Amino acid sequence: MAQLIKNGAPAADTWTTLELADGESPESVPLPAGDVIFPLAVWQARKAEIAARPRIGLQLQSADRVEDVADDLASFAIIAVHFPKFVDGRGYSTAALLRQRYGYTGELRAVGDVLHDQLFFMRRVGFDSYALKDGKSLPYAIEVGFKPFSNTYQGATDQAQPYFRRRA
Amino acid sequence: MYKYDAIDRQLINERVAQFRDQVRRWKAGELSDDEFRPLRLQNGLYIQRHAPMFRIAVPYGMMNSAQLRTLAKVARKYDRGYGHFTTRHNLQLNWPKIEDVPEILAELAEVEMHAIQTSGNCLRNITTDQFAGVAADELIDPRPLAEIMRQWTTFHPEFAFLPRKFKIAISGTRDDRTVTWFHDIGLRLKQIDGQVGFTVIVGGGLGRTPVRGEIVRDFLPWQDILSYCEAILRVYNRYGRRDNAYKARIKILVQSLGIDAFREQVEAEWAHGRGGPMTITQAEYDRVAAHFTAPAYEAVGEVELPVDKAFQRWLERNTQAHKMAGYTAVTLSLKQHGVAPGDITSEQMEIVADLADRYSFGELRISHEQNIILADVKKSDLPDVWQKAKAAGLATPNIGLLTSIICCPGGDFCDLANAKSIPIATAIQARFDDLDYLFDIGDLDLNISGCMNACGHHHVGHIGVLGVDKNNDEFYQVTLGGRQGNEAKLGKVIGPSFSAGEMPDAIEKIIKVYLENRHADERFLDTFDRIGIDPFKNRVYEGRAHGKAKTAEVEAA
């Protein structure tokens, strides 16, 4: 169980993430009840079954293309972007595209190898919840992890205007 | 040059605090080695053969005298009293302690210096022309845009964890001196109907798979360089290979897609960012450009200079045409024979800082050829500058000549190296120590890398030398005909590799072939292009044992 950070505070995770076990296929895996985060392949294969649920979550792997799910974004209460290793930076572009290009406004959660020193970058591209890896200090991450820098040069999701357009 | 404002200063101070805390957590076991590695790399810190290696950024090569004095102090206090200038506008220290690096960074921050993103799989230091702002053939000064790009790359949230390192060079002259054909992105000035912009070259690189870049966009207005680079980077970040570090550079992606398909993706991506907030404003350009105005040149006429032969030689090789009458740009050679190319002691740094203060408005530059430039020296001051530089071992008149070797630290220092490079450089310098001979040979770039990562740019040397490992022995592969500049291309391998001991002879034979075959006014490269590689090959391997004879020789030894 990772340690969830939401709105700058520890939070309980109310979602279950569906993972395909060996031998299970997106077409046949049993769909659990409750608030479930579905892999992209399951969502694509079983959209009709899932769509009636009141709250739906989606998980994107780092190689999954945002474009493939762009028309469905209004269906999701949460999108979890998985970082298989923290040095795999594809999830940052995934998040930036979801927020900036496709206007996704629901919860955007970083999951997987989520560490203290990447929280600043994650917040900037548009994540708003973070499943911090176990064994890492949650209070310390919340206290200093998000704000190593008091200003930023580039435009990003959190601040579309680069610093040079905000100079007095 | 650019002076930090309050925000620039605050951000590098915050960077020091952040890294101090990261080192603390690593020492306390809160960060694993694997978790710490990218963090220290993005602060220029490698763990190397003998000690950590620490790489300090000199953004686009510009420095003032106070900064150089601080580098001298840091090298003396935390290292062994010398540093090594690299081919990408950095200073490397080879022996600092990891625990000292936060302190070093704090001292650097006081003079507006840092080590941000000098290594790691991220946006690296922006490089440009060492003669920017003073070159006679310059169309626009690239430094304001280079500074705007420095700020844009700093802590970019989307591109901090790319598949591999990413290097950008920007050039504003007719003659390219920044190796734009061999960068991940090369921006080359282009003007259309008075509109200033760039030709965008992508996917070039040296390293183990040397590739000349390809033009992804023929003309890009200067206002659009950030948004366009972001489009390229987003395509690369999403689709560059991450399964194999040797195939992770953008050049591999460009090669596998083909430039046309790659361009299509970039242009589709750029359609969204084009004209958006990352478009550079005239106000921002003007604000930054105001830092790079011409110094207070005096109106001076031409002067009579001494006819002393040694001085004239230095004048011929180590000074450069200047846009201002009565001024010149002086190159201080860090290629003194017998000293590791690019190395400089703390004492020399202080002398250079004094020279800069006294003769060149307190500023200096470092070049990708690993030399130092005083960009604005009055011609009437040249005899004084020469005397002082000579006394400090900084006036070897060999710029552009065979002994002005570009060379990486090699196997003496670097973990990646297959072979030593510095002893090869010094052995060649010793062989060609006669200045008359050296001048007779004329323009010649000799570049040496200790491994296929090509930090010594061997592929683009007229003569390139690459260290290779054969059964745990160090050998050297020689290439001929490589070049940088507008017509940049890769050298051709001449044949089987040589032992270290054979290298000076091999180089001498190559030179002999040139001297015997050259027409009047032909440089080495001209002769090579005319007669091809075979005459060189035949001479170098003439009578050389190979195959069974070689094996027998080795067994007999």
Side-chain angles (χ1 to χ4, degrees), chain B residues 254-322:
Chain B
V254 173
Q255 296 290 304
S256 70
L257 288 172
I259 187 66
D260 293 329
F262 180 79
R263 178 184 299 116
E264 217 168 273
Q265 290 195 23
V266 169
E267 293 282 329
E269 182 59 48
W270 189 46
H272 299 280
R274 183 177 194 168
M278 293 312 291
T279 308
I280 301 169
T281 59
Q282 187 68 45
E284 174 66 357
Y285 180 85
D286 292 344
R287 180 189 77 84
V288 178
H291 292 271
F292 296 98
T293 50
Y297 293 121
E298 294 169 35
V300 285
E302 289 303 315
V303 290
E304 286 278 319
L305 288 169
V307 291
D308 176 273
K309 188 177 177 191
F311 175 74
Q312 285 293 329
R313 276 186 162 150
W314 178 77
L315 207 57
E316 180 188 334
R317 300 310 315 192
N318 297 37
T319 63
Q320 167 89 12
H322 199 286

Side-chain angles (χ1 to χ4, degrees), chain A residues 62 64-67 85-94 96-97 100-101 113 115-118 120-121 124-125 133 136-137 140 144 148-156 160-165 167, chain B residues 2 5 7-8 10-11 14-15 18 21-22 24-25 30-32 34-35 38-39 150-162 226 234 237-239 242 269 272 276-281 284 287:
Chain A
S62 49
D64 289 341
R65 285 164 39 89
V66 179
E67 289 82 349
K85 285 182 290 194
F86 76 95
V87 290
D88 183 338
R90 286 176 285 186
Y92 296 97
S93 288
T94 302
L97 284 168
Q100 295 170 32
R101 182 161 309 159
D113 199 13
L115 302 172
H116 177 113
D117 294 283
Q118 285 72 53
F120 166 77
F121 296 128
R124 286 220 68 203
V125 295
K133 193 175 172 179
K136 303 297 174 185
S137 167
Y140 196 60
V144 303
F149 305 108
S150 53
N151 211 322
T152 55
Y153 287 122
Q154 319 75 9
Q161 300 299 313
Y163 181 60
F164 65 74
R165 289 180 183 271
R167 268 177 204 280
Chain B
Y2 187 73
D5 73 0
I7 294 295
D8 300 323
Q10 189 176 331
L11 288 177
E14 287 168 343
R15 180 62 156 192
Q18 181 194 40
D21 185 53
Q22 288 166 345
R24 179 191 68 73
R25 282 184 283 133
E30 295 168 30
L31 278 171
S32 70
D34 282 348
E35 290 165 352
L39 307 179
R150 180 193 74 81
Q151 299 188 12
W152 161 72
T153 60
T154 301
F155 317 140
H156 198 298
E158 191 177 335
F159 308 124
F161 297 96
L162 295 169
L226 300 184
R234 185 172 277 173
N237 190 43
R238 298 182 74 192
Y239 301 115
R242 291 174 185 266
E269 182 59 48
H272 299 280
M278 293 312 291
T279 308
I280 301 169
T281 59
E284 174 66 357
R287 180 189 77 84

Side-chain angles (χ1 to χ4, degrees), chain B residues 146-361:
Chain B
E147 170 60 27
I148 288 168
M149 294 191 91
R150 180 193 74 81
Q151 299 188 12
W152 161 72
T153 60
T154 301
F155 317 140
H156 198 298
E158 191 177 335
F159 308 124
F161 297 96
L162 295 169
R164 199 71 181 83
K165 59 189 171 183
F166 203 92
K167 301 173 179 179
I168 301 175
I170 179 168
S171 161
T173 48
R174 282 192 191 87
D175 286 327
D176 174 32
R177 282 184 288 268
T178 63
V179 208
T180 48
W181 283 111
F182 291 98
H183 275 76
D184 296 291
I185 294 178
L187 298 170
R188 286 195 52 193
L189 184 89
K190 176 153 185 163
Q191 286 179 302
I192 292 182
D193 302 332
Q195 197 189 2
V196 173
F198 294 88
T199 295
V200 184
I201 298 164
V202 72
L206 298 171
R208 71 176 59 214
T209 315
V211 179
R212 191 182 199 256
E214 300 193 67
I215 292 174
V216 61
R217 182 167 249 277
D218 188 55
F219 182 78
L220 180 72
W222 64 268
Q223 295 91 337
D224 295 324
I225 56 176
L226 300 184
S227 64
Y228 199 81
C229 285
E230 287 199 340
I232 292 173
L233 279 155
R234 185 172 277 173
V235 171
Y236 172 54
N237 190 43
R238 298 182 74 192
Y239 301 115
R241 284 182 63 172
R242 291 174 185 266
D243 59 324
N244 179 343
Y246 299 132
K247 298 188 186 302
R249 294 285 290 271
I250 193 173
K251 61 192 170 190
I252 305 294
L253 178 65
V254 173
Q255 296 290 304
S256 70
L257 288 172
I259 187 66
D260 293 329
F262 180 79
R263 178 184 299 116
E264 217 168 273
Q265 290 195 23
V266 169
E267 293 282 329
E269 182 59 48
W270 189 46
H272 299 280
R274 183 177 194 168
M278 293 312 291
T279 308
I280 301 169
T281 59
Q282 187 68 45
E284 174 66 357
Y285 180 85
D286 292 344
R287 180 189 77 84
V288 178
H291 292 271
F292 296 98
T293 50
Y297 293 121
E298 294 169 35
V300 285
E302 289 303 315
V303 290
E304 286 278 319
L305 288 169
V307 291
D308 176 273
K309 188 177 177 191
F311 175 74
Q312 285 293 329
R313 276 186 162 150
W314 178 77
L315 207 57
E316 180 188 334
R317 300 310 315 192
N318 297 37
T319 63
Q320 167 89 12
H322 199 286
K323 66 181 182 189
M324 192 70 196
Y327 281 80
T328 188
V330 169
T331 300
L332 300 171
S333 172
L334 296 184
K335 308 298 174 75
Q336 188 181 15
H337 296 183
V339 176
D343 273 15
I344 181 168
T345 66
S346 291
E347 289 70 32
Q348 287 175 316
M349 290 186 220
E350 282 157 355
I351 290 165
V352 172
D354 291 345
L355 287 173
D357 278 341
R358 176 113 186 241
Y359 300 109
S360 196
F361 301 96

Side-chain angles (χ1 to χ4, degrees), chain B residues 429-442:
Chain B
Q429 288 172 334
R431 177 65 63 96
F432 294 91
D433 202 30
D434 183 283
L435 276 181
D436 289 324
Y437 189 33
L438 202 55
F439 269 68
D440 183 38
I441 296 165

